[in-house]
Amino acid sequence: MKVVRPREQLRPYVRYYWMLTSDEAFSVLTFPIGCPQIIFHRKTPLYIPEINRSQSRLTISGQVNFAAHIQSDGNLEMIVAVFYPHTIGMFIDTPPSAFYNQEISGYDISNRQLDETAAKIFDSQGGHAAIAILENWLLTRISPTLNHRRISGSIDLLMRDPAISVYGLADTACLSLKQYARIFREQVGMNPKEYARVVRFQKALWMLQRGARNFAGISAECGYADQSHFIREFKAMSGLTPKSLLNHCTPYSDLFTNPSV
């Protein structure tokens, strides 16, 4: 897999791009990462057994709260744009809440510019040329609002302090609790309490990734009520207990690690 850093104007909105080409079949367990993605399959799309369907050639992957396997038949060439938790709606004019816990076809949202961009990407000569085409389109869509900045600031605070209450997040955003919950769901794709679960899980993964093995310490640092709560929530997000995951694979937190830096 090759990771590409966005050009400077897009870095506040796009975390990174990644490209993967493989001629070997595989099955990989994936976890909720807290960031939506737009996926372009130049060859055979991935199959996801948990939802019993293959991705579209143009796929929008929303916020999810469950683990899933992705399977390839060995004829794979994909290009993926990974967005910040609250920014994808700016580019596609569709609220992320519309594809909560789903992977939908980008062709189903009736966005002519996105369809045309996808066609150019599929006709391009390679991954870097495809990313250049994608970025040219993304640059035309940048239009941050006050609510984007409010939600961005509150997510930054949540990542620093996963135990903070929704009341505290709303106060940081200078919004009433009801306004904050509505705007957060529109921009992020799930409600604040549920997204906080994803953040706690990802931070726990990050601590495991960095070598932490004291589960009581991890639970306290990540905002869980106690160690039992940590293990229960971790299994709900990944399908595995922390100990089982350590035996299954090397922990990696996408949300707390930026591979393009």
Side-chain angles (χ1 to χ4, degrees), residues 4 19 42 77-79 121 124-133:
V4 178
M19 304 179 289
R42 289 163 57 90
E77 184 180 353
M78 60 190 298
I79 296 151
I121 286 172
S124 66
Q125 295 303 306
H128 287 286
I131 288 174
I133 292 167

Side-chain angles (χ1 to χ4, degrees), residues 33-37 60-64 83-90 94-101 147-148 150-156 158 169 180-196 198-199 255:
I33 69 170
C35 295
Q37 304 167 74
I60 299 175
S61 181
Q63 298 282 6
V64 300
F83 295 84
Y84 284 95
H86 61 294
T87 57
I88 192 172
M90 178 195 306
T94 299
S97 55
F99 41 93
Y100 163 65
N101 268 352
N147 282 338
H148 277 104
R150 284 170 164 165
I151 299 302
S152 176
S154 69
I155 289 174
D156 288 344
L158 177 62
L169 294 174
Y180 178 75
R182 175 180 57 80
I183 294 169
F184 190 100
R185 179 171 174 75
E186 288 174 355
Q187 293 194 1
V188 176
M190 57 172 54
N191 67 53
K193 284 187 177 180
E194 189 170 16
Y195 190 74
V198 176
V199 171
L255 187 61

